[in-house]
Structures are given as C-alpha cells and as structure tokens.
C-alpha cells in the first residue's frame, strides 16, 4: 500500500503558516505553475529547501548563555527611569535582558529601583545603566557604590568618552580566581559606544597607570588590579549607531564592521579566553533591521527608542501617543542637559513639541553671553514668561537646593562664575523637560523632551495595520518576541529567494499577531 502524499500548502494563508513553523524544514515544490511548501521530504518537483530555524538561535549563543536569556536581545537603558522597573521586570520574566535607565537619577531613586527589580527578578538577569558623567563625577561614583553594595552583576556603560576609575572599580571588584587559576568575572560590563577609539579602551585591560593610581587611592586591591590586567574592561560592546538620545548618528553598516574588525585585532593581541561579543544598537526597530545587524556579524541586538513607546515605559500616555505617530523624519538634534556646556547634542522627537527649538535657543544665548544680566532685557523677559514660566532668581534658588543633594561640587564650581551659573539655570529647563514628558506634566506638553531615533518611525511603518499600531498594545516582551521571530521569518524568506524561489510579494513581510 502506497504511503499518503505529504500535505503541501499552496494558498497564501497556508504558505505563511508553513513558513512560520520554524521548527520544521520547508521543502518547496513547483507544481502546475504554483509554488507549494511541505514539511515532509519530497522527491518530485523539488526546487528549494530551507532548514529549521529557531529565533532563539539567532546571534551569538555565548551572549544568551552568559546572561541566561531566551534571545540574543537586549532593551537598552533610557535615562530618567524611562527604561523603568516595570519594563526591566517584564523583560526579565520573559527571559530577556533589560537595562534600568539610571542616568540622571539621584542615588536614592536608583536604590529604590534596585530593591524593586531584585524583588521582581530574584532569579533572572537584568542590568543597570552606568552613564559617564563628566560634569557630575559624584553621580557616577555613587552609582557604582550602590551597584557594588547591592550586588548588581551587570551594568550597561554608556556615553563614555574615556575610561574612568569608577567603571574600572566596578569591574575589578567583581574579579576572582577559580580552581584552575582562570579569572572569574563576577561583574559584567556591556559598553555601548559609537567611537572606535573609545571601543579600544573597553576591549583591552585598563592601563597599568590607572590601576596603580586606583591601588594608591584605595579603590581596588593589588590582587584585583592584577586580575583586571588579564581581562578586558567589557564583556560585550554594543556598536551604537543612529539612536535616540546621545548619538554620533553613525550608520550601522559602517560602524559595526569597524568595531568587529577592531575586536578581532585586539583579540589576536591579547588572546582572551572568551572573546568580546559585539552587538548592534541604534536603528533597530523592525525585523529586517534585526536580521541585517545579525547577518553583518552582530552577536546580539539592542533596542531603545521603540521601547519608549511600550506600556511599561516610565513615560506618559501623551508621549507614547506622539511616539506611536512618529515618522522616520520626525527627529532632530538638540543640546543635551548633562553635557550642555560641551555642546553635546541628543536626538529627539520634533513632532508635537517646541523643546528642540527652545533648547537650541538657550545654547545659542549661552555661547553669546557671559551672564544672565548681559542678555538683552526683552529676551530675558521672553524666556521667563514663555519658556521657564518662572523667574531666573527663583530657578537659581531651586537649582542650589537640587545640587546640594545631587552633587555640591557643581555649585562650588559655579561660585563667582556667572556664565556657569547661567548654564545651570538653562540646564534646569533641559533637565526638567524630560521629566515633564515622563510624568505627563499638564500645560508643559510643548516643552516635552522626548528622546527618539529614526527606528521609532520605522517601527511604526512596520506595525501599521497590525495590533501593534495602537500604543496600548505595545508591551516590551511582545515587541521583542515579534522582532526576533520576524527576523527568523525573513531569514527563511531570504534563504528561499537565494535559491531562485519567488514567493508572493505579500509573504515578504512578517505580520505580528497578538500572543495568546
């Protein structure tokens, strides 16, 4: 008796369903001018074959194993707690890595987040952001104090212009020796950067001079310094391309290959037992972007802007709605709050807010005038009434109180320096604008500072017409799941295309469906 013929899918819905069964191979036949797919071996009319592909296997398995993850996927930190406790916990429970947005927060707020996340994820991986703070060195130092005190095992180091004793102290104090004499790494560092010269510093051991100075200062022991000289500062380096917030607007297709080549060059020099993994961030907002990054050699992907629009993000419903309506061109560069005097800019959403224009005006005034009093009276009155909505003197008094708690050294540097005092007042506006966006401050909507890269617009284009179009349906773990699952789907489509199979154009797009 002949065995029954294997089932073959020919209609569009059945073809899509067959392609989405990642655990099964796809045997493609051409019959009567039609393309069909079966999961069972076929000998007649076979034109192409695609192996099983699991979204879980995309990327560097070492990244998954190091952090105990389902996917080679990470949600990067968004400052001011926008990458919130709820977001990190939701991702952790789904087997994904999230980084709490500690940048810009006072130590007591970070400490509260540590308690919350550790209670919510007693057995799962999570990270905390450590942002370089050249103008408020105490914040960086006190963040490391907390991370060491509470046993935070993973930090995402971002916006670093150079190595600092603080990130090196965090790394060194987690080092020990195992029974075979190898270095055991207890405190992992994921460095997010966009410059080759900075990447080189995280991809090698710290300079001997820095280690000796830290020993003298009592920050690390002789043993810790010796161990630190045997391993790189970072376990993982994320090549950050055109992202929201701090960015050099680098194209990923040029940045990632350069960082990968640098990694290989330094690995050949140092021969680390575990080579540094290189990930990709910035512009990651669609399945095709995820797949492109992984096919270029990224070991993992990092999302940012798209997570700011999920329901767990620490931002307001008004802001999430604006983000969900953004196009790729709805972004602009504007002065940053934390590096205002240095002229550093961040990438922001320009739709529905006047903040970028007002922030640039403040920076132009800072560059032109040496004090608040030297600004023309009409301009000062306009700023107080239309932008600040408070008097300069009132803001300065609040600024003094703020920095007395946050970092008194900032106030010491401003004494007798009216230009620096003016900068701190201008930074008051720039700093509060992101908090107004997060809290949904009524009456301040036109002053919302919303960090955003073009990936947000790309995500919206992809999600249009699906359940993810509505902001209330966007959940961090579901977004991650669909991005990775979509990348696997597109990989399978590409495999068949490379063998000369032309599937219906409608099948070239992965369509996210609600999870049941």
């Amino acid at each position: 008796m002949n065995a029954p013929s294997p089932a073959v899918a020919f209609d569009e819905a059945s073809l899509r369903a067959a392609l989405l069964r990642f655990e099964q191979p796809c045997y493609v036949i051409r019959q009567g001018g039609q393309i069909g797919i079966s999961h069972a071996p076929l000998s007649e009319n076979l034109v192409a074959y695609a192996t099983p592909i699991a979204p879980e296997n995309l990327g560097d398995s070492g990244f998954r194993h190091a952090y105990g993850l389902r996917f080679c996927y990470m949600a990067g930190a968004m400052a001011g707690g926008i990458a919130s406790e709820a977001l990190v916990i939701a991702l952790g429970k789904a087997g994904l890595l999230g980084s709490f947005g500690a940048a810009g927060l006072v130590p007591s707020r970070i400490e509260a987040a540590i308690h919350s996340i550790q209670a919510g994820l007693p057995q799962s991986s999570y990270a905390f952001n450590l942002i370089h703070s050249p103008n408020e060195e105490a914040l960086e130092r006190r963040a490391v104090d907390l991370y060491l005190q509470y046993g935070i095992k993973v930090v995402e180091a971002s916006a670093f212009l150079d190595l600092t004793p603080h990130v090196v102290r965090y790394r060194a104090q987690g080092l020990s020796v195992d029974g075979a004499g190898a270095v055991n790494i207890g405190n992992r560092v994921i460095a997010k950067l966009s410059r080759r010269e900075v990447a080189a510093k995280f991809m090698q051991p710290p300079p001997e001079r820095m280690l000796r100075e830290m020993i003298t200062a009592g920050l690390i022991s002789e043993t810790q310094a010796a161990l630190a000289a045997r391993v790189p500062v970072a376990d993982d380096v994320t090549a950050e391309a055109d992202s929201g917030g701090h960015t050099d607007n680098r194209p990923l297709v040029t940045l990632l290959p350069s960082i990968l080549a640098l990694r290989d060059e330094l690995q050949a020099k140092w021969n680390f037992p575990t080579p540094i993994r290189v990930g990709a961030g910035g512009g990651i907002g669609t399945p095709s972007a995820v797949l492109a990054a992984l096919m270029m050699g990224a070991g993992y992907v990092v999302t940012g802007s798209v997570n700011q629009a999920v329901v767990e993000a620490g931002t307001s419903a008004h802001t999430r709605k604006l983000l969900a309506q953004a196009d790729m061109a709805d972004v602009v560069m504007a002065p940053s709050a934390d590096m205002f005097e240095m002229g550093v800019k961040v990438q922001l959403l320009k739709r529905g807010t006047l903040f970028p224009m007002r922030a640039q005006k403040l920076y132009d005034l800072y560059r032109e005038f040496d004090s608040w009093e030297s600004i023309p009276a009409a301009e000062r009155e306009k700023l107080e009434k239309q932008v600040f909505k408070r008097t300069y003197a009132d803001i300065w008094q609040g600024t003094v109180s703020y920095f007395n708690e946050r970092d008194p050294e900032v106030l010491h540097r401003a004494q007798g320096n009216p230009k620096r005092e003016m900068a701190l007042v201008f930074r008051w506006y720039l700093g509060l604008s992101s908090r107004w966006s997060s809290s949904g401050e009524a009456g301040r909507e036109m002053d919302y500072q919303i960090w955003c890269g073009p990936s947000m617009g790309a995500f919206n284009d992809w999600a249009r017409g699906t359940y993810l179009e509505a902001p209330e349906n966007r959940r961090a773990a579901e977004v991650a799941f669909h991005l990775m699952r979509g990348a696997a789907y597109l990989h399978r489509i590409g495999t068949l295309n490379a063998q000369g199979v032309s599937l219906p154009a409608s099948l070239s797009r992965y369509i996210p469906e609600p999870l049941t």
Side-chain angles (χ1 to χ4, degrees):
M1 183 175 180
N2 294 331
S5 298
V8 181
F10 286 102
D11 65 276
E12 182 175 323
S14 299
L15 286 170
R16 183 178 293 276
L19 291 165
L20 285 168
R21 294 190 186 101
F22 298 126
E23 74 283 359
Q24 298 287 336
C26 285
Y27 297 88
V28 182
I29 67 166
R30 182 173 286 110
Q31 190 176 87
Q34 285 185 294
I35 289 293
I37 294 178
S38 172
H39 294 309
L42 295 166
S43 58
E44 295 182 359
N45 305 315
L46 182 66
V47 295
Y49 167 74
T51 61
I53 179 172
E56 290 82 356
N57 291 338
L58 295 176
D60 188 332
S61 61
F63 185 81
R64 286 190 292 108
H65 294 152
Y67 301 104
L69 306 175
R70 179 181 179 184
F71 297 132
C72 290
Y73 179 101
M74 176 181 180
M78 295 176 286
I82 292 173
S84 66
E85 296 96 324
L87 188 149
V88 172
I89 292 171
L91 289 169
K93 288 183 176 179
L96 303 167
L97 182 62
S99 179
F100 178 75
L105 300 180
V106 296
S108 59
R109 174 68 180 87
I110 297 175
E111 188 172 20
I114 291 173
H115 290 311
S116 177
I117 292 172
Q118 289 185 333
L121 297 174
Q123 304 297 327
S124 301
S125 290
Y126 55 86
F128 272 72
N129 186 218
L130 177 65
I131 193 166
H132 183 37
S133 304
N135 292 318
E136 297 178 68
E137 181 269 344
L139 282 183
E140 190 178 328
R141 169 173 48 80
R142 291 165 75 183
V144 169
D145 289 342
L146 287 172
Y147 297 160
L148 293 172
Q149 177 185 346
Y150 288 102
I152 301 301
K153 298 303 182 185
V154 186
V155 300
E156 183 188 28
S158 61
F160 276 76
L161 304 174
D162 200 351
L163 284 183
T164 68
H166 309 301
V167 68
V168 173
R169 176 167 69 103
Y170 172 82
R171 179 66 158 180
Q173 289 198 16
L175 301 176
S176 59
V177 180
D178 65 18
V183 180
N184 181 60
I185 296 174
N187 293 340
R188 296 188 179 276
V189 175
I190 303 172
K192 185 166 60 179
L193 42 82
S194 57
R195 300 196 176 194
R196 185 180 170 97
E197 66 273 17
V198 180
K201 298 181 179 183
F202 279 90
M203 289 179 160
Q204 301 182 80
E208 182 180 357
R209 171 192 53 78
M210 174 180 281
L211 293 173
R212 301 309 309 176
E213 290 174 352
M214 292 176 68
I215 293 171
T216 301
L219 297 175
I220 59 174
S221 68
E222 291 272 3
T223 299
Q224 290 167 342
L227 295 176
R230 296 169 56 185
V231 296
V233 175
D235 303 277
D236 304 274
V237 168
T238 303
E240 184 180 16
D242 193 11
S243 63
H246 287 288
T247 180
D248 285 325
N249 304 111
R250 299 283 193 269
L252 188 62
V253 293
T254 56
L255 176 64
L256 180 59
S258 177
I259 300 299
L260 285 166
L262 176 64
R263 185 273 310 275
D264 295 341
E265 175 187 325
L266 293 175
Q267 175 63 22
K269 174 182 178 180
W270 293 97
N271 194 30
F272 298 121
T274 302
I276 296 166
R277 295 170 292 263
V278 176
I284 307 297
T286 62
S288 55
V290 171
L291 181 60
L294 296 174
M295 291 299 97
M296 279 197 296
Y300 59 96
V301 293
V302 179
T303 53
S305 296
V306 298
N307 297 316
Q308 195 170 201
V310 302
V311 297
E312 299 96 340
T315 192
S316 65
H318 179 81
T319 293
R320 291 196 295 271
K321 182 178 179 180
L322 289 177
L323 288 165
Q325 297 170 346
D327 292 326
M328 281 185 283
D330 288 335
V331 293
V332 66
M333 299 298 293
S336 72
D338 56 344
M339 301 183 189
F340 177 79
E341 297 95 319
M342 300 166 64
V344 174
K345 293 189 174 185
V346 289
Q347 189 157 221
L348 309 170
L349 183 70
K350 64 181 179 181
R351 173 192 286 261
T353 174
L354 293 175
F355 172 82
M357 179 180 66
R358 289 173 171 177
Q360 186 61 52
K361 177 65 174 179
L362 291 177
Y363 184 71
D364 292 343
L365 291 172
Y366 169 76
R367 288 289 304 273
E368 183 176 357
F369 298 100
D370 291 328
S371 68
W372 172 254
E373 289 73 18
S374 62
I375 298 175
E379 190 68 58
R380 282 183 281 144
E381 182 179 1
K382 182 178 177 181
L383 288 175
E384 288 182 325
K385 289 185 176 180
Q386 297 183 14
V387 180
F388 298 155
K389 299 183 181 179
R390 292 173 62 180
T391 66
Y392 179 93
D394 185 32
I395 296 171
W396 174 243
Q397 289 304 311
T399 301
V400 170
S401 300
Y402 175 75
F403 280 107
N404 272 329
E405 176 188 0
R406 183 181 176 100
D407 187 357
E409 179 59 29
V410 172
L411 295 175
H412 296 326
R413 295 197 299 269
Q415 287 181 352
N417 189 330
K419 190 176 184 72
R420 181 164 286 173
E421 176 188 301
M422 178 174 62
L424 291 179
V425 170
F426 289 175
R427 284 173 58 189
W428 166 89
Y429 171 76
L430 271 66
L432 277 181
S433 60
S434 59
R435 298 185 193 178
W436 293 331
S437 170
S438 296
S439 64
E441 183 78 14
R444 281 291 193 174
E445 288 83 359
M446 298 309 294
D447 294 296
Y448 284 6
Q449 178 182 182
I450 305 170
W451 299 303
C452 183
S455 63
M456 188 73 257
F459 180 93
N460 291 335
D461 287 341
W462 167 62
R464 191 168 294 115
T466 76
Y467 88 107
L468 288 179
E469 182 174 3
E472 61 271 19
N473 291 335
R474 299 184 183 186
R475 299 188 178 277
E478 290 191 34
V479 167
F481 174 84
H482 285 303
L483 288 177
M484 296 301 294
R485 186 173 169 83
Y489 178 85
L490 295 178
H491 185 283
R492 174 162 275 186
I493 294 292
T495 298
L496 296 177
N497 286 342
Q499 297 174 67
V501 175
S502 296
L503 293 167
S506 57
L507 291 177
S508 65
R509 175 173 178 253
Y510 171 79
I511 301 175
E513 299 287 349
L515 302 184
T516 56

